[in-house]
Every structure is written in C-alpha cells, then in structure tokens.
Amino acid sequence: MFVTDSERTSSWPCSRRATLTLPAREVHVSAARHLTADLLECWSVPQSERDSAVLIVDELTANAAQYGRDCMTLVLVLDHGALYIEVSDSGTAVEHSSYDVAPDEHGRGTGIVKYLAQSTEIRQTRSGREVRACLRCSAA
C-alpha cells in the first residue's frame, strides 16, 4: 500500500490531494473506503458530501478490483469547492455481456456514481482504465 497526502503538488495545483495505490483485489476496497472517510473528515468535508464521496469510491474501487489486474490507484483532490475522485486500474476495456443477470444484481455502480457526481469521465489509457468523478464540496 502506498499513501500520500499533500497540500500542493506540482502537476495538479490544489488545496488538498491524496493518493492511495493498492493491489486490484476486492479485499482492498474497504481500505480505500475507510481511508476516504477518515481523510475527508480531516479535510472538514461535511458528512453528507463525505457519504456521497465514500459511496463513489466504494463503487469505483470495487469495479477496479473486479476488472483490474495488478494495481488500482485512488486519487482524491479537494480544490475550490469541488472534490475530484479518480480511480485507475491496469485492466482492459470492460465487455458488457448480454447474459441473463437481473438489473438489480449487477451493473448499478456506474449509475450510482453518475447520480451522485456532478460530472463523470471514463477513459481507456495505455495502461488501463481511468474513471473520474467530480462532486461539489463545501469543505471549510
């Protein structure tokens, strides 16, 4: 596990930034969720916004753990009234199968993220996938 927390970085100027890199395994999803909750509390993010962010992190890291291969990286950036959540993994593009799975049993994660976030972006990179979500945030 690799974690950093800083007030400024040269590549993305911001008020607060944290990075967590973990093996892309389902067992590590709870670590990402708990770190997010604790860190956002330290950053004075209000409870309701923190709850939304934790749910987004849970959904995105669960997807990364399921479809990624080697590692997954969570980046949290709090900057000027917005919280940016980025999860990247070393997986390939997800093929959506047409097999019979009840809609309430599978595939709600991205819908939840799109509902909670003000914006989302999914892109395939040379090394895997990257999903970004942005939330309005009234942290002090």
Side-chain angles (χ1 to χ4, degrees):
M1 174 168 52
F2 178 71
V3 180
T4 62
D5 177 15
S6 63
E7 290 190 32
R8 289 252 178 227
T9 64
S10 59
S11 64
W12 195 350
C14 63
S15 301
R16 301 298 260 158
R17 178 188 171 102
T19 304
L20 173 67
T21 300
L22 295 165
R25 304 289 177 264
E26 191 173 320
V27 69
H28 299 296
V29 171
S30 65
R33 188 176 57 244
H34 289 293
L35 175 87
T36 299
D38 292 345
L39 189 60
L40 296 182
E41 183 176 8
C42 289
W43 289 354
S44 301
V45 172
Q47 182 70 46
S48 64
E49 295 164 4
R50 194 165 62 232
D51 291 345
S52 293
V54 168
L55 185 52
I56 289 172
V57 166
D58 184 61
E59 296 296 337
L60 296 182
T61 57
N63 284 346
Q66 181 176 1
Y67 299 111
R69 287 189 305 267
D70 299 323
C71 64
M72 59 183 171
T73 300
L74 166 65
V75 178
L76 301 169
V77 176
L78 181 61
D79 186 34
H80 296 96
L83 175 65
Y84 302 92
I85 301 167
E86 177 180 295
V87 176
S88 57
D89 65 56
S90 54
T92 56
V94 177
E95 297 282 333
H96 294 286
S97 302
S98 60
Y99 56 86
D100 291 329
V101 174
D104 62 338
E105 294 295 324
H106 192 275
R108 294 181 292 172
T110 55
I112 291 170
V113 172
K114 288 178 181 178
Y115 177 78
L116 293 172
Q118 276 61 58
S119 66
T120 59
E121 178 184 348
I122 303 170
R123 64 185 197 114
Q124 191 68 33
T125 66
R126 287 168 31 132
S127 60
R129 274 184 318 276
E130 187 176 271
V131 182
R132 295 178 184 172
C134 177
L135 291 168
R136 281 188 212 100
C137 188
S138 58

